[in-house]
Amino acid sequence: MLKILGLLCVVGSASAVGFGFAAGVRRQAEQLRALQTALGQMKSETAYRMTPLPELLSQVGADTDGAVGALFSRCALELRRRTSTVQFAMQTALGHTPGLSLPQSARRALLALSGVLGKFDVDGQCRAIDLARSRVDEALEDVELASRARCRSYRTLGVCTGLAIAVILL
């Protein structure tokens, strides 16, 4: 009886690891969707209200949930805390925001956007935001295409690994 209980624990824990990896893939897609929304808000604020950059980033951070909101809030904090460039503040925020799991293409798009913000006129900034948003859209498409197969593979691999270990222990 104790041996069966131990085997169930092994199978359950290996399955949980697989399901955890699958949840990470889904979290990445959710964060990209939140980033799309945040960039849309940035464009509206820039085009219609011409909100100052630290205030804009802070507002987007407050209006966006999760790690993406924390990213923009952290970037605004870095801009207020030091006299640094927007790009340096974004780079620091990308490196120090817990729970952020954006793909490299989205990170590069944010860094490129941060290099433009505050340097050009409103139209130039809006075009840069549109470009960043299109790159995030592409990253989201890539993640969503791969996510179904990857999630299924991670879950299956977790369960099969647990069963294999259980068979070895028998």
Side-chain angles (χ1 to χ4, degrees), residues 31-91:
Q31 288 182 3
L32 285 169
R33 284 188 209 95
L35 185 56
Q36 283 178 323
T37 303
L39 290 173
Q41 181 184 357
M42 281 181 74
K43 182 180 177 185
S44 297
E45 290 288 327
T46 301
Y48 301 116
R49 291 187 53 211
M50 293 187 275
T51 308
L53 201 50
E55 182 183 328
L56 171 66
L57 293 172
S58 182
Q59 184 177 358
V60 169
D63 292 344
T64 307
D65 293 332
V68 174
L71 169 72
F72 285 108
S73 295
R74 177 75 183 241
C75 188
L77 180 70
E78 289 294 325
L79 278 177
R80 287 188 178 120
R81 188 183 305 171
R82 312 176 207 184
T83 53
S84 62
T85 64
V86 180
Q87 195 165 24
F88 180 76
M90 181 61 76
Q91 189 171 9

Side-chain angles (χ1 to χ4, degrees), residues 14-168:
S15 298
V17 169
F19 279 84
F21 281 135
V25 172
R26 285 191 305 274
R27 183 174 48 248
Q28 197 173 47
E30 290 169 6
Q31 288 182 3
L32 285 169
R33 284 188 209 95
L35 185 56
Q36 283 178 323
T37 303
L39 290 173
Q41 181 184 357
M42 281 181 74
K43 182 180 177 185
S44 297
E45 290 288 327
T46 301
Y48 301 116
R49 291 187 53 211
M50 293 187 275
T51 308
L53 201 50
E55 182 183 328
L56 171 66
L57 293 172
S58 182
Q59 184 177 358
V60 169
D63 292 344
T64 307
D65 293 332
V68 174
L71 169 72
F72 285 108
S73 295
R74 177 75 183 241
C75 188
L77 180 70
E78 289 294 325
L79 278 177
R80 287 188 178 120
R81 188 183 305 171
R82 312 176 207 184
T83 53
S84 62
T85 64
V86 180
Q87 195 165 24
F88 180 76
M90 181 61 76
Q91 189 171 9
T92 302
L94 282 168
H96 293 86
T97 302
L100 190 67
S101 61
L102 294 175
Q104 285 301 316
S105 57
R107 289 173 184 263
R108 282 192 300 272
L110 283 174
L111 284 174
L113 173 63
S114 65
V116 172
L117 289 176
K119 292 183 180 176
F120 296 103
D121 62 347
V122 172
D123 290 335
Q125 290 183 65
C126 287
R127 280 186 295 219
I129 292 170
D130 284 337
L131 178 62
R133 192 164 182 193
S134 70
R135 289 180 179 166
V136 169
D137 290 344
E138 291 170 5
L140 180 60
E141 284 179 26
D142 292 344
V143 166
E144 285 179 340
L145 272 173
S147 72
R148 279 187 222 107
R150 284 177 52 197
C151 286
R152 193 175 324 123
S153 296
Y154 288 145
R155 289 190 300 256
T156 303
L157 190 61
V159 171
C160 290
T161 301
L163 290 173
I165 292 171
V167 167
I168 291 170

